[in-house]
Every structure is written in C-alpha cells, then in structure tokens.
C-alpha cells in the first residue's frame, strides 16, 4: 500500500465511522427521566454487559422505590460517583447502542441542570438527532426550552420529544396534546421542522421499544426506538456547497503533493475549479485520490486527497471551496450566536481567542445585540451574557478568516471562544453571517509611513501603559516622565484616563464590560499615536489583566511597556486626590477599584515602580526604560 493510501485510509476510517453511526443526544430538564429512558433502551437492545445489568439489579440509591432484583435503568448511564450519590447527571455520558437495523447509535446523555448547559451544548454540537424528555407531570419547563433552543442553534434538525412519565398523569390524552402543542409551537419558532412527539413511560416501558401500549390506545404512532430506526440522514451532497477543510498536506513522494481531509459538505469532481478561501487563489482538481484508488467524484463525509493542476500555497487549516458565488469570503466582522458557558460574564470590548479547526485568531466582541429568552423567544436588550445565556453578538477578528454561516456548514461555521488569560473555553459560537462592513473597508497604504515618521523624529514610537489603583500616582509619574523625555527631545503625549472619559469615552461607565471597552478604545488611540511616532504614556487604572493583555496584543513586539505603579491601598486611600475613596466609604461609589471592584496587579510587569517612592526617581527609572538605557 502506498503512503498516500495509508494516509487516506486513516482519514477514511474516521469518516466511515462518522457516517455509519447515528449520533443522538438525550436532553431535557433534570428529573425528566433521561437516564431511565436510555438505560431501558440499552438493556432491551442487549447493548449493556451482563455485569452492569446485575449491578443495576442489586444497587439502589437512597430513596429509590424500585425493588431490589429489578433493574434500576438510571444506574446504567451515570458514571461518576457524584452522579450516583446525587441521582443526577453531571457529565455527558456516552453509550453505544445497536439498533435492530444494525446501525450503531452513539448516545450522549446530557445533564439537565442549568449549570451544566455547557455540557449539553457540547453533546448537541455533533448530534444528528435529539431525544428531548418532558416530564408529563411537571410540564414544559425553562430548561426544556433552553435545550430545544441549543439543539436548534447547534443544527440538530431532527427532534424526538418523549413526553415521559405518562403513568403519573394516568396516561391522559389531553396532557399529551397540551404538551405536544406547546413544544411544536416552540420548535416552529426555532425553525425546526422535523419533530416527532411520543408519549412514553420509561419506567413501565410504554412506547420505548414497542409501540401500541394498551395504556394509551389513543396513540397510533411509533416508539422512541422506531424513530431512531427510521431516521435517515439528509443527502445534501447535491445541494450543499463544497467545503474541504485541509487536515494535512500529503507529500508521499518528491513529485506528489496533495491536500487531504474529510469533505465537510457538498461534492467535488475531477475538473472542478476550486478556490482557497483565504487567498482567493484558484486551481482545478486534477485527481481525487482515496484509499481505494482514484475516484471521479467524492462527497460529504468521505476522506480524500485532492491533487490540483498547479502548484498553490495551501497549509493545514485552509478551506477549499468551489470557485464562484458559493465560495466562502474571508471577513473580519461577523454576527454570531453564542452559548455562553464561562463563569465570568461576557464583556464586550474584551479580546478572546477564536478557535476554528486548527486556527487560533484573536477576536473582540464589539457588541452584544441581544440575549435570547429561551421560553418566549423574545430578544432582550443586553450588554453582557451571563453563564448559560444565549445571545447574539458582533465579533471582530484581528485578521480576515473564512467562516461560513452555520446553517451552510457546521464544520466551517462553528467556533469556540477561549479566554486569553485562563485558556478556559467560555462560549460555543455559531456564525450567522459575515457583516457587510467587513467587505466595505479597505486599509490604504500611504507613502509617508511609520518608519519615515520615526526617522524624522529620531526615535521609535512606544506605548507606556501605567496601571495601578486610583491615587497610586499614575498621572503624577506620567507627567514627570513626559517632561523628562520632552527635555531630551522625545516626542511624547499623555493619555490620561479621566481626560479621555471627558470626550471619547464619556459614554462609558465603570462596570467590568465598560472598563474593557474603555481600555480597548484607549489602546486603539495609543496605537495610532505610536504609528505617528510618538511615545504615548497611558495613565489608566485598567484593573483587569485580560484587558491589559488585550491592549498589549495590538502592538508590535517591543512597542508596549506595562508599568505597575505599586501603591498600597491604604496609601492610595489616604491620598484620595479626587475624593473617590471617601465616596466609596459612604456607599455612593460601588464600583471603586480596590474597594467595590477587584484590582488585578500585573504578574510580570515590564517596569515595577514603588508608588510611595520619590516621583523624580520613579520618572527617571521609567524614562531610562523608555529609552532602552
């Protein structure tokens, strides 16, 4: 077997594995009976080892009413000790089930608690079908709508709604109709067309494996198992646009260079013109190489290596599309829906990292458009997103990237948002569209550039970022340092926090998200000044490390100095030049840094100044650092 065939075989096995199985997520509010339903399905399709069944016969949770000797189906899915102790699902439990049709199902049992919505979103992101549990006795709850909304956002278009615990409502037809109508209306609002509603009792087994329960003669549809057996994937190969994220560059021999990956959507044929989305460079498909030899065409889910008719610059992570209107255009402004899973709220203006496949791009959430009320579908005005909120934002990336609309292609339309400081994943993102302004703004290069201005001034431009508590002495040190540098012929400017807030940032307050936006704007202004060849001294409290790190990220190496004016809180309170600490003590200034809001000192400041030291000495130390002495 050739090296190319071996490489493709690896990709092919992965793609075959994906296409041969049905991925199902079981979701719904806590105590709706997900684990019991899944456990029964696993047991009755012989998908559970005998020893696990015996364990479920012998073991009982506290308060369980199931007699010892009978199977407690809920014990078959909860893997964590904490889950068994609390009787709830915390982590996503994955189980395999073999259908009578021989298709294998990968079941993701998603937790029902709101605090674990992040786990549910992860489980839904790869699901083909969602089985949404509803407790017939408790009715439709906010978490029911939240999970339905997450499924819709994640592109799960086949929903099987199991109205569970029908035994608790006497198998009433009216209850089924009422709940069915409510969930169908919500699904229609979310654009989900394929909804199957089944009345079941996971405890008694009614309509779980076999349909036609004698307790519900009014129901003539199939069981939950029937719905899974009858599910067929939608063949979008003919209509969906071609997308191939390049996973590796195949160089099996000196004269062989191919671009390997699994086709995410659409189909490709030999002779098709394709475009590399990032660069816009086009080429024609010369060969489609697979583990079974050359093919004339390939479609979504198949692992291939494309050979093009000319040498082009393609790297891992590039996206290949058909040439023409359906090609993805790189952009740097997007509207996107976020499922916020971070413990800290989303702050617009703060910089995060966007992960799209192997790509990592800095990005800023420039605006929160709305927060979605998952029960009513109403778009509520919002400036922040809290944990488990779902909302629409505007996202600006540092460099243009080709992101598809999520409805067009999950693989090239979804992304993760990661905190730059903690490296925690804080949101799952779904691209809705590239914003028009991304294509209408073109930077212009001028003959007199940054280097020319710096040669004229005789020194480099720099941003000197002074951070510290209010009253730490930032403005005083900035003033003295600017005077010292000015006397030596250095062109300087001081961007003082209070001065900026009287003009450019007069619309901002002192909440964490407004502070993030304050820092972002000041950093952008400072960057322009550095480009003009000035040494800019920024005197800004800027209490959060993440904001300061974002500010640093827009400057070139060596252009940015973080300076910590290290003054104890009690000294700053004693100075209190603006009377702010006095107001905070009276309770009239709740967001005072160091009192009502946390101050995060730099972990490794470029320059550390003692805020209680002589100002002239501090200024001299800082001036030497600026001049590189």
């Amino acid at each position: 077997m050739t090296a190319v065939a071996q490489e493709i075989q690896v990709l092919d096995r992965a793609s075959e594995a994906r296409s041969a199985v049905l991925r199902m997520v079981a979701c719904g509010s806590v105590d709706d009976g997900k684990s019991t339903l899944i456990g029964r399905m696993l047991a009755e399709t012989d998908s559970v080892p005998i020893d696990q069944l015996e364990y479920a016969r012998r073991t009982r949770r506290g308060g369980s009413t199931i007699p010892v000797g009978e199977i407690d189906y809920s014990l078959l899915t909860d893997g964590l000790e904490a889950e068994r102790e609390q009787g709830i699902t915390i982590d996503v439990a994955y189980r395999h089930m073999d259908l009578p049709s021989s298709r294998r199902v990968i079941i993701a049992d998603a937790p029902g608690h709101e605090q674990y919505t992040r786990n549910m979103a992860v489980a839904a992101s790869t699901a083909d079908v969602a089985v949404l549990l509803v407790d017939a006795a408790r009715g439709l709850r906010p978490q029911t709508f939240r999970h339905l909304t997450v499924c819709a956002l994640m592109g799960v278009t086949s929903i099987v709604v199991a109205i569970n615990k029908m035994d608790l409502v006497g198998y009433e037809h009216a209850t089924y109709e009422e709940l069915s109508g409510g969930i169908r209306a919500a699904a229609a609002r979310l654009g989900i067309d394929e909804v199957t509603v089944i009345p079941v009792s996971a405890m008694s087994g009614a309509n779980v494996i076999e349909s036609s329960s004698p307790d519900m003669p009014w129901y003539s549809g199939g069981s939950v198992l029937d719905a899974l057996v009858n599910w067929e994937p939608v063949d979008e190969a003919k209509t969906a646009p071609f997308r191939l994220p390049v996973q590796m560059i195949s160089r099996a021999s000196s004269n062989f260079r191919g671009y390997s990956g699994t086709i995410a959507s659409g189909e490709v044929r030999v002779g098709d013109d394709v475009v590399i989305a990032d660069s816009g460079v086009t080429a024609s498909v010369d060969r489609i190489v697979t583990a079974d030899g050359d093919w004339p065409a390939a479609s979504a889910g198949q692992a291939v290596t494309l050979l093009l008719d000319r040498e082009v610059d393609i790297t891992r992570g590039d996206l290949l599309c058909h040439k023409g209107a359906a090609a993805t255009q790189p952009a740097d402004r997007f509207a996107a829906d976020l499922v916020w899973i971070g413990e800290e709220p989303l702050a617009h203006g703060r910089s995060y990292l966007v992960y799209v496949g192997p790509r990592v791009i800095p990005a800023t959430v420039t605006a929160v458009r709305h927060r979605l009320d998952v029960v009513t579908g109403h778009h509520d005005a919002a400036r922040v997103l809290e944990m488990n909120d779902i909302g629409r934002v505007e996202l600006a990336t540092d460099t243009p990237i080709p992101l598809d609309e999520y409805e067009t292609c999950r693989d090239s339309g979804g992304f993760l948002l990661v905190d730059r400081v903690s490296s925690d994943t804080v949101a799952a993102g779904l691209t809705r569209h590239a914003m028009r302004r991304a294509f209408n703004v073109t930077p212009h290069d001028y003959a007199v550039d940054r280097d020319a201005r710096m040669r004229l001034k005789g020194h480099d431009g720099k941003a000197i970022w002074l951070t510290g508590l209010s009253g730490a002495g930032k403005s005083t040190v900035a003033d003295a340092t600017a005077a010292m540098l000015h006397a030596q012929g250095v062109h300087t400017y001081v961007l003082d926090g209070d001065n900026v807030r009287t003009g450019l940032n007069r619309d901002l307050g002192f909440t964490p998200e407004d502070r993030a936006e304050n820092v972002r704007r000041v950093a952008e202004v400072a960057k322009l000044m550095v480009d003009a060849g000035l040494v800019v001294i920024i005197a800004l409290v800027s209490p959060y490390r993440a904001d300061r790190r974002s500010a640093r990220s827009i400057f070139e190496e060596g252009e940015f100095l973080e300076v910590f004016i290290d003054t104890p809180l009690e000294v700053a309170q004693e100075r209190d030049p603006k009377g702010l600490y006095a107001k905070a003590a009276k309770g009239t200034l709740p967001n005072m840094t160091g009192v009502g809001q946390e101050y995060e000192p730099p972990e490794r400041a470029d320059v550390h100044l003692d805020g209680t030291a002589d100002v002239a000495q501090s200024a001299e130390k800082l001036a030497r650092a600026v001049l590189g002495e």
Side-chain angles (χ1 to χ4, degrees):
M1 181 180 291
T2 65
V4 178
Q6 288 176 339
E7 288 177 353
I8 294 173
Q9 204 168 54
V10 172
L11 293 173
D12 221 15
R13 287 197 193 105
S15 61
E16 282 179 4
R18 281 195 293 273
S19 60
V21 303
L22 164 62
R23 292 177 178 273
M24 183 200 105
V25 57
C27 51
S29 190
V30 65
D31 292 335
D32 280 354
K34 297 181 295 298
S35 297
T36 301
L37 177 73
I38 295 170
R40 179 177 285 278
M41 293 175 70
L42 291 172
E44 298 198 9
T45 55
D46 296 327
S47 303
V48 181
I50 293 175
D51 60 331
Q52 287 189 21
L53 286 177
E54 288 303 314
Y55 170 80
R57 289 182 197 278
R58 297 191 311 268
T59 307
R60 288 293 173 270
R61 294 187 176 107
S64 174
T65 58
I66 301 172
V68 176
E70 295 184 13
I71 299 173
D72 183 347
Y73 293 105
S74 66
L75 293 174
L76 297 177
T77 55
D78 291 343
L80 300 177
E81 186 64 30
E83 293 176 330
R84 298 193 184 101
E85 290 176 353
Q86 299 179 51
I88 63 170
T89 301
I90 296 173
D91 199 3
V92 179
Y94 290 94
R95 294 291 184 270
H96 292 244
M97 180 173 71
D98 295 317
L99 295 176
S101 60
S102 75
R103 172 177 280 164
R104 171 159 281 205
V105 182
I106 298 177
I107 301 174
D109 182 14
H113 275 281
E114 181 178 348
Q115 70 186 92
Y116 302 123
T117 298
R118 67 182 84 178
N119 300 358
M120 184 272 162
V122 171
S125 65
T126 58
D128 302 305
V129 175
V131 174
L132 177 65
L133 276 288
V134 176
D135 185 330
R138 296 186 178 185
L140 303 176
R141 292 186 279 175
Q143 195 66 344
T144 309
F145 294 106
R146 187 185 307 280
H147 281 191
L148 185 65
T149 303
V150 172
C151 286
L153 290 173
M154 293 294 174
V156 185
T157 55
S158 296
I159 307 290
V160 177
V161 181
I163 308 293
N164 192 25
K165 303 186 183 181
M166 288 298 292
D167 50 307
L168 297 184
V169 295
Y171 299 102
E172 286 182 347
H173 187 192
T175 301
Y176 165 77
E177 290 294 341
E178 179 185 350
L179 297 177
S180 177
I183 205 72
R184 286 184 186 280
R189 170 169 51 77
L190 293 166
I192 302 173
D193 298 324
E194 192 176 332
V195 179
T196 304
V197 186
I198 304 171
V200 306
S201 170
M203 189 63 74
S204 70
N207 290 335
V208 176
I209 302 297
E210 301 288 342
S211 58
S212 303
S213 166
D215 296 316
M216 292 177 277
W218 43 264
Y219 177 72
S220 59
S223 66
V224 176
L225 187 67
D226 292 337
L228 299 180
V229 170
N230 295 328
W231 178 86
E232 290 294 336
V234 178
D235 184 8
E236 297 178 335
K238 301 292 183 184
T239 56
F242 167 64
R243 299 287 186 266
L244 174 64
V246 176
Q247 293 172 262
M248 69 172 74
I249 310 300
S250 178
R251 306 193 69 171
S253 62
S254 59
N255 59 352
F256 184 97
R257 182 179 175 85
Y259 309 102
S260 304
T262 299
I263 299 175
S265 72
E267 67 173 5
V268 63
R269 294 179 174 277
V270 172
D272 283 355
D273 290 332
V274 295
V275 59
I276 298 97
D278 286 82
S279 62
V281 174
T282 62
S284 295
V285 177
D286 198 35
R287 292 173 59 193
I288 300 175
V289 183
T290 74
D292 298 324
D294 282 21
W295 287 357
S299 59
Q302 293 175 328
V304 297
T305 291
L306 300 187
L307 274 67
L308 305 181
D309 66 340
R310 70 199 69 167
E311 289 288 336
V312 292
D313 184 14
I314 297 178
T315 60
R316 182 172 183 264
D318 277 345
L319 184 68
L320 300 185
C321 316
H322 273 145
K323 181 183 176 184
T328 307
Q329 275 190 286
D332 58 5
R333 299 287 189 277
F334 299 94
D337 288 329
L338 297 183
V339 180
W340 191 257
I341 57 179
E343 294 182 359
E344 295 294 325
L346 160 70
H348 68 80
R350 184 164 292 174
S351 179
Y352 298 92
L353 295 176
V354 168
Y355 279 68
V356 187
R359 297 166 185 259
V360 183
I361 306 106
T364 302
V365 176
T366 56
V368 178
R369 287 188 178 180
H370 63 249
R371 178 173 50 229
L372 180 65
D373 185 322
V374 296
V375 176
T376 65
H378 187 262
H379 295 172
D380 296 333
R383 299 195 67 187
V384 299
L385 293 180
E386 305 282 351
M387 190 167 77
N388 297 321
D389 277 349
I390 298 170
R392 181 156 298 182
V393 303
E394 294 179 9
L395 192 71
T397 57
D398 280 15
T399 55
I401 55 172
L403 277 178
D404 274 309
E405 295 178 8
Y406 191 76
E407 293 83 356
T408 301
C409 181
R410 275 185 175 185
D411 290 55
S412 54
F415 61 87
L416 294 175
L417 215 56
V418 173
D419 187 283
R420 296 177 69 114
V421 176
S422 65
S423 297
D424 290 339
T425 299
V426 293
L430 308 101
T431 309
R432 290 311 170 204
H433 59 81
M435 301 178 70
R436 195 173 300 167
R437 74 190 72 160
F439 307 111
N440 296 337
V441 178
T442 305
H444 188 85
D445 294 326
Y446 288 90
V448 179
D449 59 10
R450 173 176 175 274
D451 291 342
R453 289 187 285 270
M454 289 182 181
R455 284 195 298 273
L456 185 65
K457 287 185 167 59
H459 59 77
D460 294 340
K462 286 186 178 178
I464 315 302
W465 196 283
L466 275 56
T467 177
L469 294 168
S470 177
K474 299 180 297 299
S475 298
T476 304
V477 172
D479 192 22
T481 306
M484 200 169 289
L485 291 170
H486 184 78
Q488 297 181 56
V490 178
H491 297 246
T492 62
Y493 192 89
V494 177
L495 277 173
D496 185 89
D498 281 1
N499 293 351
V500 174
R501 282 184 178 275
T502 63
L504 175 67
N505 291 348
R506 69 172 61 185
D507 59 320
L508 300 177
F510 294 89
T511 61
E513 59 271 18
D514 275 3
R515 287 186 184 276
E517 176 63 10
N518 184 47
V519 168
R520 188 190 71 80
R521 293 184 194 178
V522 170
E524 291 290 348
V525 171
K527 183 174 175 60
L528 291 175
M529 290 184 167
V530 169
D531 189 63
L534 298 176
V535 171
V536 191
I537 303 173
I538 302 103
L540 209 65
V541 174
S542 47
Y544 301 116
R545 293 191 190 107
D547 297 338
R548 298 195 297 268
R549 185 171 295 193
S550 297
R552 179 191 286 271
S553 69
I554 69 173
F555 291 91
E556 301 291 334
E557 183 73 24
E559 283 185 345
F560 186 94
L561 284 181
E562 185 179 39
V563 182
F564 180 32
I565 308 296
D566 189 359
T567 305
L569 177 61
E570 54 273 20
V571 175
Q573 287 175 317
E574 186 178 345
R575 291 173 179 170
D576 200 13
K578 304 169 190 174
L580 300 178
Y581 288 106
K583 292 181 180 177
K586 294 178 181 175
T588 57
L589 193 58
N591 292 334
M592 184 67 192
T593 301
V595 181
Q597 278 186 351
E598 184 183 7
Y599 177 79
E600 299 172 349
E603 293 175 323
R604 290 182 295 277
D606 299 300
V607 180
H608 190 132
L609 297 179
D610 182 351
T612 61
D614 179 73
V615 172
Q617 291 179 356
S618 295
E620 185 178 354
K621 180 180 179 181
L622 181 54
R624 287 202 303 269
V626 172
L627 298 173
E629 295 176 353

